[in-house]
Amino acid sequence: MKQRLSNPSSIVITGASSGIGEALALLYAAPGVALALTGRDSARLETVAQRCRAAGARVDTAVVDVADRAAMAEWLARVDAADPVDLLVANAGMSAGTGDGGETEEQARRILAVNVDGVLNSIHPLLPAMRARRRGQIAVMASLAGFRGLPGAPAYCASKAMVRVYGEALRGDLAGEGIGVSVICPGFVKSRMTAVNRFPMPFLMETDAAARVIRRGLERNAARIAFPWPMMAAVWLLALLPPSWTDGPLRRAPRKP
């Protein structure tokens, strides 16, 4: 089990066309590694794939909406049949805020469909085969925003809270079956998602640095990979304090567009 965690040879990464997903794909790309990558932008995804192939990896790409349950199941079944998956990184996600007005029902439902259903649609097609092999590793992309609801991004915070708690519970469920589960909780990381923010982002990390932190955590089969630590400490404190103390300051904080 430890060797498989340190050197996965068949890896699925969703949301691999930019941001953390792209950085992880490039970090894991090496001779003898099979990468299965999804993303919503075919041109960006192919650019990432070409860079991974140049590093020696075999790469399968698919432009699939992670919220499409049937399409994800079909693609993942094909990937696993060709190269039994050692590591799944359920990374695909989206964000939107209320800086340009209140959060609409359509916006909230789309965020939940991608961030919550997308994680389920990535995990469950692979679980039966991982269970049968009694090995594998699953990483789900939550966020430090999943520890405390923020007025500027209600659906995003709710989706990441669900992913965090689901992953923590799933880890316990699968521990006896040889399958590791890690929950990734980043703070602000440079990406297309954070590029639109019009407010200060404390402890903003470079994407490749975040990817290295995540890989080290996955190699240890860490239950939770939360970073950077000053931001993590601040969020934990917010979550511990009574809402009556924090609601006012949070309402006055800048909001994501």
Side-chain angles (χ1 to χ4, degrees):
M1 178 71 170
K2 289 183 180 178
Q3 184 178 1
R4 301 296 291 192
L5 294 181
S6 298
N7 299 292
S9 62
S10 177
I11 305 167
V12 173
I13 303 174
T14 67
S17 59
S18 64
I20 291 176
E22 175 185 3
L24 284 171
L26 295 172
L27 187 60
Y28 278 108
V33 174
L35 292 172
L37 310 177
T38 67
R40 289 178 289 180
D41 186 299
S42 59
R44 292 204 312 268
L45 185 63
E46 185 55 31
T47 298
V48 175
Q50 290 295 346
R51 293 180 66 189
C52 292
R53 291 183 185 115
R58 289 181 291 113
V59 184
D60 177 280
T61 61
V63 179
V64 183
D65 183 350
V66 292
D68 187 332
R69 180 178 176 181
M72 284 293 291
E74 180 182 356
W75 178 65
L76 289 169
R78 178 170 60 80
V79 167
D80 194 69
D83 292 287
V85 175
D86 298 318
L87 169 62
L88 161 70
V89 183
N91 166 73
M94 64 174 293
S95 71
T98 60
D100 299 320
E103 185 169 78
T104 65
E105 178 182 355
E106 181 181 357
Q107 175 177 303
R109 289 186 181 277
R110 179 59 182 165
I111 290 171
L112 291 168
V114 172
N115 293 2
V116 176
D117 291 345
V119 167
L120 299 179
N121 295 341
S122 302
I123 291 173
H124 284 276
L126 294 174
L127 261 186
M130 284 187 173
R131 280 179 155 144
R133 293 190 290 264
R134 297 192 65 80
R135 61 175 172 80
Q137 187 175 22
I138 296 167
V140 295
M141 188 62 66
S143 169
L144 291 180
F147 286 90
R148 208 296 186 185
L150 305 174
Y156 180 78
C157 292
S159 70
K160 293 304 184 179
M162 183 276 176
V163 169
R164 176 178 65 83
V165 175
Y166 181 75
E168 290 169 351
L170 192 65
R171 179 182 174 89
D173 269 354
L174 298 177
E177 301 185 53
I179 301 170
V181 180
S182 296
V183 177
I184 305 167
C185 299
F188 292 115
V189 177
K190 286 186 179 180
S191 68
R192 291 170 62 87
M193 194 178 292
T194 57
V196 300
N197 292 345
R198 298 191 295 260
F199 52 81
M201 292 178 280
F203 311 107
L204 179 66
M205 289 187 70
E206 295 291 338
T207 316
D208 56 350
R212 289 194 298 270
V213 171
I214 292 168
R215 181 170 182 170
R216 288 196 298 268
L218 293 178
E219 288 174 348
R220 300 194 311 272
N221 189 30
R224 183 184 293 163
I225 306 168
F227 59 92
W229 74 262
M231 192 72 175
M232 177 178 63
V235 170
W236 283 354
L237 179 61
L238 270 178
L240 288 172
L241 291 173
S244 60
W245 294 13
T246 57
D247 279 350
L250 288 175
R251 282 196 299 267
R252 293 190 293 272
R255 302 196 174 204
K256 184 179 182 68

